[in-house]
Amino acid sequence: EVQLVESGGGLVQPGRSMKLSCAASGFTFSNYGMAWVRQAPTKGLEWVATISYDGSSTYYRDSVKGRFTISRDNAKSTLYLQMNSLRSEDTATYYCTREATVAFFDYWGQGVMVTVSS
Amino acid sequence: DIQMTQSPASLSASLGETVTIECRASEDIYNGLAWYQQKPGKSPQLLIYNANSLHTGVPSRFSGSGSGTQYSLKINSLQSEDVASYFCQQYYDYPWTFGGGTKLELK
């Protein structure tokens, strides 16, 4: 059974940093691209970043480029999202997702809440 | 960016009814479209990919169709467990973008 378990969320002040982790199990992690998708309270879904199966390629939405870094450790089957210079508009539930070969999201974690507020 | 416009934003239907949700892309996305279901308080779940392929374990009352810029999700014989929000997503070009969602309730 595919499982994705996020951790590391919470309350953070604007301008500060936070790192999210996602522990994967139930599949061969190193064979799949992975992504982070977020959802602001009572809002829709927004893709944040994608990393290729081997970590050699990364992609970001414009609003997080230069502030967020997606990375992975295939030996630990873990995905990360380093978030710097956080803004109030980054407040959201962040979902760890597995990207199928053709870039839709076939499995999702339970989500972790990030609140950026002073 | 490719804009995804979903309609309607909300929908009320009766048990056993057939429901259709539409998604329009701002340009041709060549069937690079997925549909997700999100039940209250839960994470989204994949229903349909490549516009019309059913994901593993999804009931056959769900179906997807469309091409070019116009796509739809149909739910036959609506069940109580189908109460949820539904989102479309294009994966033809970065950034991947989602529709605004359709909230489905029981009448």
Side-chain angles (χ1 to χ4, degrees), chain A residues 99-105, chain B residues 31-32 49-50 89-92 96:
Chain A
E99 275 203 9
T101 310
V102 200
F104 50 87
F105 310 112
Chain B
N31 282 19
Y49 61 95
N50 293 349
Q89 177 231 337
Q90 69 80 20
Y91 49 92
Y92 173 68
W96 310 145

Side-chain angles (χ1 to χ4, degrees), chain A residues 39-75:
Chain A
Q39 186 172 34
T42 70
K43 299 292 186 184
L45 299 166
E46 185 174 81
W47 168 77
V48 175
T50 287
I51 187 167
S52 61
Y53 69 99
D54 60 356
S56 62
S57 298
T58 56
Y59 308 86
Y60 300 92
R61 68 178 304 102
D62 283 350
S63 61
V64 308
K65 218 172 278 186
R67 299 189 299 123
F68 288 13
T69 302
I70 188 172
S71 62
R72 64 191 298 159
D73 185 336
N74 283 348

Side-chain angles (χ1 to χ4, degrees), chain B residues 35-57:
Chain B
W35 289 97
Y36 302 90
Q37 176 192 65
Q38 185 176 31
K39 295 183 179 180
K42 301 292 187 183
S43 57
Q45 302 294 311
L46 177 67
L47 295 174
I48 302 282
Y49 61 95
N50 293 349
N52 56 24
S53 297
L54 205 62
H55 183 50
T56 306

Side-chain angles (χ1 to χ4, degrees), chain B residues 88-104:
Chain B
C88 60
Q89 177 231 337
Q90 69 80 20
Y91 49 92
Y92 173 68
D93 194 19
Y94 278 115
W96 310 145
T97 47
F98 292 85
T102 296
K103 188 173 183 179
L104 175 59

Side-chain angles (χ1 to χ4, degrees), chain A:
Chain A
E1 179 196 3
V2 172
Q3 284 201 322
L4 301 169
V5 180
E6 302 95 336
S7 60
L11 176 64
V12 61
Q13 293 181 327
R16 304 297 290 264
S17 298
M18 177 175 278
K19 187 172 186 176
L20 304 181
S21 299
C22 170
S25 60
F27 65 102
T28 305
F29 184 71
S30 58
N31 285 354
Y32 288 88
M34 299 292 294
W36 291 96
V37 175
R38 68 185 180 185
Q39 186 172 34
T42 70
K43 299 292 186 184
L45 299 166
E46 185 174 81
W47 168 77
V48 175
T50 287
I51 187 167
S52 61
Y53 69 99
D54 60 356
S56 62
S57 298
T58 56
Y59 308 86
Y60 300 92
R61 68 178 304 102
D62 283 350
S63 61
V64 308
K65 218 172 278 186
R67 299 189 299 123
F68 288 13
T69 302
I70 188 172
S71 62
R72 64 191 298 159
D73 185 336
N74 283 348
K76 295 182 178 179
S77 295
T78 302
L79 176 72
Y80 303 100
L81 185 67
Q82 176 68 47
M83 304 183 292
N84 299 332
S85 302
L86 281 160
R87 306 167 181 168
S88 58
E89 55 263 36
D90 296 319
T91 293
T93 296
Y94 285 73
Y95 294 102
C96 168
T97 70
R98 191 179 83 169
E99 275 203 9
T101 310
V102 200
F104 50 87
F105 310 112
D106 58 356
Y107 291 96
W108 298 60
Q110 85 284 356
V112 63
M113 184 68 199
V114 173
T115 302
V116 184
S117 174
S118 54

